[in-house]
Amino acid sequence: MACGSTSLWAGEATWFCCGNAWGSCGSAGTGACGTCQSGKNMAAWPNLSAACWDITRPDLCGENMPRRTCGAVMNVRHQCSGATVCVTLADCGPRTKSFCGEATCCNGACRTNRVIDLTPSAFTAIGSLSSGKLPVYIYE
Amino acid sequence: MSHSQESGGRRLDRRRFLTTAAVGGATIVGASALGGLDAEAAFAEPMPSLDAAIPAAFAEGRIVATNRNVLDVAGSHGERHLIQLTNATSIWKLRTTTAEAIEVGDGLYARGAAMPDGTIAADAVWVNIVNVYVTIRGIARDRLHLTHGNEELVGHIVPDTTTASYLGGALTADLSRTRIGQEAQVLGAWRPADGAIDIARVSLGH
């Protein structure tokens, strides 16, 4: 399946690790889909399943994104640099409800609420891990 | 800032310099054509915007040996990586630092350019970096006791380094508003010796 260019969502992208053999990520496992690896361009989506939705509850922050399941692909584009990475959904996340209203900005424009979690491989393709968050547009 | 700089009358982008430096060896590396680099900006520079003829590369794993400026890294899934550091490589280990801070046993993520000999010329290396969703279980003067999933973690508060953000607000050195039971995101550096984390930033949620 190829990544597309139809606008799907916008918000903050954060990062997480999965499948690592080191660090506090060592216990993270391979995610809800059983395929997640930090070294691959993968992502976690808050509406991966009904059970996932009950954990992430993005609707409590006004984010009612559609369901997309394991293996779905998305293009994630940095709001300002335009750098883009194509990711495959492999886990449930982020915990949107815990950070309602949080914003990340660049060039004076902000994106609000955590709407996608990227693996380190995917996140570093469009930004720096030490920033922790990026403002992004998401396409499919 | 721009990440391309003028050198000898022609425009030289960071990635082209990186690969040139890695191929050319110490003489070229030692005479950085770029001069001082803004490390934070360099970390944030996205690789895909650079020269498409040079394939981007990513590596993850644990350092098993170092030889001059080459890191021998064992990936978590059995792969092996040789990571070349140059004067153009940005290095993070709790803060922006230098290659001298990297030790055998450290974990890392590296971004760079794939070289013809199979090595990776690193543009940026993040050493021991972790970014975990936690619940605060205890608060002491110099540390936070945390749970991450079913795992207990100690997060050390590092003077002049650790910052907090409350509900998305500006970063502050004041951690006095942390509360037991709060959910938080901790970005920091894992300590291989004991599994604890030195906290760079804690983002407190609702």
Side-chain angles (χ1 to χ4, degrees), chain A residues 15 17 19-24 27 37-39 83 95 97-100 114 120-121 124-125 127-132, chain B residues 43 46 48 58 60-61 76-77 92 107-109 111 126 129-131 133 148 151 183 185 187 190 197 201 203 205-206:
Chain A
W15 68 271
C17 54
N20 281 20
W22 60 272
S24 35
S27 60
Q37 292 185 19
S38 291
R95 308 258 185 146
K97 70 175 181 183
S98 296
F99 301 94
C100 275
R114 300 182 176 201
S121 175
T124 58
S128 169
L129 293 177
S130 49
S131 73
Chain B
F43 273 128
F58 177 86
E60 166 275 323
S76 293
H77 303 277
W92 186 97
L108 66 70
Y109 299 109
R111 179 185 72 186
W126 295 269
I129 193 168
V130 293
N131 188 30
Y133 182 82
H148 168 57
E151 188 181 357
E183 295 175 331
Q185 186 94 34
L187 191 147
W190 170 66
I197 296 173
R201 181 166 66 248
S203 301
H206 295 282

Side-chain angles (χ1 to χ4, degrees), chain B residues 148-159:
Chain B
H148 168 57
N150 296 322
E151 188 181 357
E152 293 188 359
L153 281 174
V154 173
H156 292 280
I157 298 166
V158 183

